[in-house]
């Protein structure tokens, strides 16, 4: 690939797969208007956007590191910390909240020994509290990746989590 030497990244320093990152960055070299697609692709491939990639991404796109960081911190879709293989989202919207979503959230936190925004040590689960999952008629609702669970009860949480272990 032309220009590969320019895109070399120290794997030990970043603790990421440099080949994957190099392939992504090579496609967008010198195109600052492609920042969001680059970051989306990096996150899709790596599961997050390592902060160590900010300067390298800016350099390749001919942008400022502050622009890259600004986009990463402005949009909620980007993560600057590694996330678990399974991301649990518990809806705390009005319908879910009134039907016991806090109890669901508390049970998950107790079972996994993590707080909202954290990831288990084994990297199996990350926990997020969200405002709406769009399934109010099924309240309380939790999602695990693309799977939606409705009418969740605290006693069923352990069974749901076990199916993803």
């Amino acid at each position: 690939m032309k220009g590969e030497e320019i895109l070399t990244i120290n794997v030990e320093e970043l603790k990421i797969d440099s080949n994957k990152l190099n392939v992504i960055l090579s496609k967008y070299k010198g195109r600052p208007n492609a920042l969001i697609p680059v970051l989306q692709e990096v996150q899709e491939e790596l599961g997050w956007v390592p902060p160590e990639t900010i300067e390298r991404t800016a350099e390749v796109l001919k942008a400022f590191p502050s622009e890259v960081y600004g986009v990463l911190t402005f949009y909620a879709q980007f993560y600057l910390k590694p996330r678990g293989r399974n991301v649990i989202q518990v809806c705390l919207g009005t319908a879910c909240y009134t039907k016991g979503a806090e109890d669901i959230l508390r049970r998950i936190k107790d079972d996994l020994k993590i707080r909202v925004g954290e990831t288990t040590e084994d990297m199996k689960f990350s926990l997020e509290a969200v405002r709406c999952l769009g399934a109010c008629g099924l309240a309380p609702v939790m999602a695990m990746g693309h799977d939606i669970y409705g009418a969740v009860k605290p006693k069923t949480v352990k069974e749901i989590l076990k199916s993803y272990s």
Side-chain angles (χ1 to χ4, degrees):
M1 188 179 299
K2 188 175 180 183
E4 181 119 276
E5 307 78 33
I6 296 172
L7 300 174
T8 302
I9 294 172
N10 182 338
V11 179
E12 289 73 35
E13 182 182 319
L14 300 179
K15 295 180 180 62
I16 62 170
D17 186 335
S18 66
N19 291 329
K20 290 178 182 178
L21 186 62
N22 288 341
V23 168
I24 294 166
L25 292 176
S26 294
K27 291 190 292 186
Y28 298 97
K29 187 173 181 188
R31 295 176 47 204
N33 60 335
L35 179 56
I36 290 177
V38 168
L39 295 175
Q40 288 171 328
E41 199 169 330
V42 167
Q43 182 163 286
E44 185 177 319
E45 189 64 43
L46 303 175
W48 64 303
V49 181
E52 297 88 349
T53 65
I54 292 173
E55 281 192 42
R56 190 71 191 118
T57 300
E59 180 183 330
V60 170
L61 296 181
K62 304 242 183 285
F64 292 105
S66 59
E67 290 176 84
V68 177
Y69 186 75
V71 168
L72 284 170
T73 56
F74 180 79
Y75 292 103
Q77 68 176 301
F78 295 117
Y79 300 96
L80 289 168
K81 294 189 312 187
R83 294 173 26 151
R85 217 170 30 254
N86 303 290
V87 178
I88 306 164
Q89 294 180 316
V90 178
C91 179
L92 295 180
T94 304
C96 291
Y97 186 83
T98 60
K99 291 198 174 194
E102 271 195 324
D103 296 332
I104 307 304
L105 188 60
R106 188 175 308 110
R107 180 62 187 262
I108 294 168
K109 289 172 15 180
D110 290 348
D111 285 358
L112 297 179
K113 309 282 189 268
I114 60 173
R115 295 182 301 218
V116 171
E118 293 182 342
T119 299
T120 57
E121 285 184 26
D122 60 8
M123 299 300 290
K124 283 186 183 177
F125 299 100
S126 291
L127 180 58
E128 297 178 352
V130 297
R131 291 293 155 220
C132 185
L133 287 171
C136 303
L138 301 174
V141 178
M142 69 179 269
M144 184 84 71
H146 296 292
D147 300 327
I148 304 290
Y149 296 90
V152 178
K153 304 282 183 228
K155 64 184 177 187
T156 61
V157 166
K158 192 179 266 321
E159 183 180 312
I160 293 168
L161 295 176
K162 189 176 181 181
S163 70
Y164 289 87
S165 294

Short mmCIF file of all heavy atoms in Angstrom, two decimals, residues 1 49 69 74-75 77 87 90 94 124 132 139 142 153:
data_model
loop_
_atom_site.label_atom_id
_atom_site.label_comp_id
_atom_site.label_asym_id
_atom_site.label_seq_id
_atom_site.Cartn_x
_atom_site.Cartn_y
_atom_site.Cartn_z
N MET A 1 0.86 -1.18 0.00
CA MET A 1 0.00 0.00 0.00
C MET A 1 0.89 1.23 0.00
O MET A 1 1.80 1.36 0.83
CB MET A 1 -0.91 -0.02 1.24
CG MET A 1 -1.94 1.06 1.23
SD MET A 1 -3.02 0.99 2.69
CE MET A 1 -3.76 -0.60 2.51
N VAL A 49 -12.42 4.48 20.58
CA VAL A 49 -11.41 5.32 19.91
C VAL A 49 -10.34 5.64 20.95
O VAL A 49 -10.53 6.51 21.80
CB VAL A 49 -12.03 6.62 19.35
CG1 VAL A 49 -10.96 7.45 18.64
CG2 VAL A 49 -13.19 6.32 18.40
N TYR A 69 -10.38 15.73 18.87
CA TYR A 69 -10.84 15.58 20.25
C TYR A 69 -12.22 16.23 20.44
O TYR A 69 -13.08 15.69 21.13
CB TYR A 69 -9.82 16.19 21.22
CG TYR A 69 -10.18 15.95 22.67
CD1 TYR A 69 -9.99 14.69 23.25
CD2 TYR A 69 -10.72 16.97 23.44
CE1 TYR A 69 -10.33 14.46 24.56
CE2 TYR A 69 -11.06 16.74 24.77
CZ TYR A 69 -10.87 15.49 25.32
OH TYR A 69 -11.22 15.26 26.62
N PHE A 74 -17.84 15.67 21.68
CA PHE A 74 -19.14 16.28 21.41
C PHE A 74 -20.21 15.22 21.16
O PHE A 74 -21.31 15.31 21.68
CB PHE A 74 -19.06 17.24 20.22
CG PHE A 74 -20.37 17.89 19.90
CD1 PHE A 74 -20.83 18.96 20.64
CD2 PHE A 74 -21.16 17.42 18.85
CE1 PHE A 74 -22.05 19.57 20.35
CE2 PHE A 74 -22.38 18.01 18.56
CZ PHE A 74 -22.83 19.09 19.31
N TYR A 75 -19.89 14.23 20.36
CA TYR A 75 -20.87 13.21 19.98
C TYR A 75 -20.86 12.04 20.95
O TYR A 75 -19.84 11.42 21.19
CB TYR A 75 -20.61 12.70 18.56
CG TYR A 75 -20.86 13.75 17.51
CD1 TYR A 75 -19.80 14.43 16.91
CD2 TYR A 75 -22.15 14.09 17.14
CE1 TYR A 75 -20.03 15.40 15.95
CE2 TYR A 75 -22.39 15.07 16.19
CZ TYR A 75 -21.33 15.72 15.60
OH TYR A 75 -21.56 16.68 14.66
N GLN A 77 -21.85 9.16 20.58
CA GLN A 77 -21.62 7.86 19.95
C GLN A 77 -20.17 7.38 20.07
O GLN A 77 -19.89 6.21 19.84
CB GLN A 77 -22.00 7.91 18.47
CG GLN A 77 -21.07 8.78 17.63
CD GLN A 77 -21.38 8.74 16.16
OE1 GLN A 77 -21.35 7.68 15.55
NE2 GLN A 77 -21.71 9.88 15.59
N VAL A 87 -22.75 -4.51 25.74
CA VAL A 87 -23.11 -3.23 26.35
C VAL A 87 -24.56 -3.33 26.79
O VAL A 87 -25.46 -3.54 25.98
CB VAL A 87 -22.91 -2.07 25.36
CG1 VAL A 87 -23.35 -0.75 25.99
CG2 VAL A 87 -21.46 -1.99 24.92
N VAL A 90 -29.88 0.32 30.20
CA VAL A 90 -31.10 0.29 30.99
C VAL A 90 -31.82 1.61 30.76
O VAL A 90 -31.26 2.68 30.97
CB VAL A 90 -30.81 0.08 32.49
CG1 VAL A 90 -32.10 0.10 33.29
CG2 VAL A 90 -30.06 -1.23 32.71
N THR A 94 -39.39 7.94 31.43
CA THR A 94 -40.52 8.02 32.35
C THR A 94 -41.26 6.71 32.52
O THR A 94 -41.49 6.24 33.65
CB THR A 94 -41.50 9.12 31.90
OG1 THR A 94 -40.79 10.35 31.79
CG2 THR A 94 -42.64 9.28 32.89
N LYS A 124 -16.39 -8.29 29.73
CA LYS A 124 -17.61 -8.91 29.18
C LYS A 124 -18.76 -7.92 29.09
O LYS A 124 -19.57 -8.00 28.17
CB LYS A 124 -18.03 -10.11 30.03
CG LYS A 124 -17.22 -11.34 29.80
CD LYS A 124 -17.79 -12.51 30.57
CE LYS A 124 -16.93 -13.74 30.40
NZ LYS A 124 -17.43 -14.86 31.20
N CYS A 132 -34.10 6.78 26.74
CA CYS A 132 -35.21 6.10 26.07
C CYS A 132 -34.68 5.09 25.08
O CYS A 132 -33.76 5.37 24.33
CB CYS A 132 -36.10 7.11 25.35
SG CYS A 132 -37.58 6.36 24.63
N ALA A 139 -42.16 -1.45 29.05
CA ALA A 139 -41.45 -0.99 30.25
C ALA A 139 -41.59 -1.96 31.42
O ALA A 139 -42.64 -2.58 31.57
CB ALA A 139 -41.95 0.39 30.64
N MET A 142 -34.58 -3.10 28.99
CA MET A 142 -33.12 -3.05 28.93
C MET A 142 -32.71 -3.64 27.59
O MET A 142 -33.44 -4.44 27.00
CB MET A 142 -32.45 -3.79 30.10
CG MET A 142 -32.60 -5.29 30.09
SD MET A 142 -31.78 -6.09 31.49
CE MET A 142 -30.16 -6.42 30.81
N LYS A 153 -37.83 -7.87 35.14
CA LYS A 153 -37.96 -7.89 36.60
C LYS A 153 -36.56 -8.11 37.18
O LYS A 153 -35.72 -8.77 36.56
CB LYS A 153 -38.87 -9.03 37.05
CG LYS A 153 -40.24 -9.01 36.42
CD LYS A 153 -41.10 -8.00 37.10
CE LYS A 153 -42.50 -8.03 36.52
NZ LYS A 153 -43.02 -6.74 36.19
#
